[in-house]
Amino acid sequence: MVLGLALCQPLTAGAETALPKAVTLRAEEITVQGPAGYCPDPATLRQTGGAVAVLLGRCSDQAVGPPAVISVTFGRAGSAAVMASGGAEMSAFFASDAGRKSLSRRGRAADVAVTSARSVGDLFLFRVTDRAEGTYWRGMTALNGRTVSVKVSGPELDEVESRKLVESTTKALRRANR
């Protein structure tokens, strides 16, 4: 695995450690970059069979924006075909037992309810309530032939902030992967 890193602000004033502003996986042709104030944590990077997952958080304690954890997952190359079905089919899948089970932290469909779903351009947005995780927004889109999932959670986030953070993260990922 080859990583390219562009440094972001230090975690604390005078700290030696800094989170990168972006993480590039050259072999997968993926760059993970968050919206302003949010940086990927390379220690959370996981790769399995061409799929990539990484967590993002605020670049520093002084960063503008609410504390949040942003989970970004890039599916395997070619996985974007599932997005071609459109919002209505995506909504139906995530309302089904199989779809709710795929969203559940514990793998139990009964733990999950999708309370809102909508398409915003080519971004499919849905609000999820999971007994193990609480309520959060998730977005899915296609990017360079891969399905990309963005999930935002945080105890201090309201519904509007959470949704906007999913949208701004998706925009940042698009810019970074042109």
Side-chain angles (χ1 to χ4, degrees):
M1 163 177 57
V2 178
L3 293 176
L5 305 176
L7 292 181
C8 198
Q9 301 175 31
L11 291 172
T12 58
E16 297 290 327
T17 306
L19 287 177
K21 183 173 181 171
V23 173
T24 299
L25 292 96
R26 298 193 198 298
E28 301 298 339
E29 298 178 352
I30 293 172
T31 298
V32 179
Q33 182 173 343
Y38 295 88
C39 294
D41 182 350
T44 66
L45 180 71
R46 300 292 178 261
Q47 290 183 271
T48 306
V52 175
V54 68
L55 298 178
L56 292 82
R58 290 193 317 177
C59 299
S60 75
D61 289 339
Q62 290 77 38
V64 176
V69 175
I70 304 170
S71 172
V72 175
T73 305
F74 281 79
R76 293 175 177 88
S79 62
V82 71
M83 297 299 298
S85 61
E89 285 192 36
M90 297 283 290
S91 290
F93 172 72
F94 287 113
S96 74
D97 284 348
R100 291 191 331 275
K101 183 178 179 180
S102 74
L103 295 171
S104 173
R105 173 163 280 194
R106 296 182 191 142
R108 298 188 303 212
D111 285 357
V112 173
V114 176
T115 58
S116 176
R118 66 186 74 146
S119 291
V120 178
D122 60 358
L123 176 64
F124 177 69
L125 277 167
F126 51 112
R127 186 121 169 109
V128 177
T129 299
D130 184 331
R131 288 183 190 152
E133 283 192 82
T135 302
Y136 61 87
W137 277 98
R138 181 182 295 261
M140 294 183 73
T141 193
L143 185 59
N144 298 339
R146 296 173 183 265
T147 298
V148 178
S149 175
V150 176
K151 174 184 156 190
V152 172
S153 56
E156 297 176 23
L157 288 175
D158 67 26
E159 184 173 345
V160 172
E161 288 174 315
S162 179
R163 190 191 77 242
K164 285 182 179 179
L165 200 46
V166 169
E167 292 179 41
S168 63
T169 299
T170 303
K171 288 177 185 173
L173 290 167
R174 285 193 189 293
R175 281 191 306 270
N177 287 279
R178 288 186 185 165

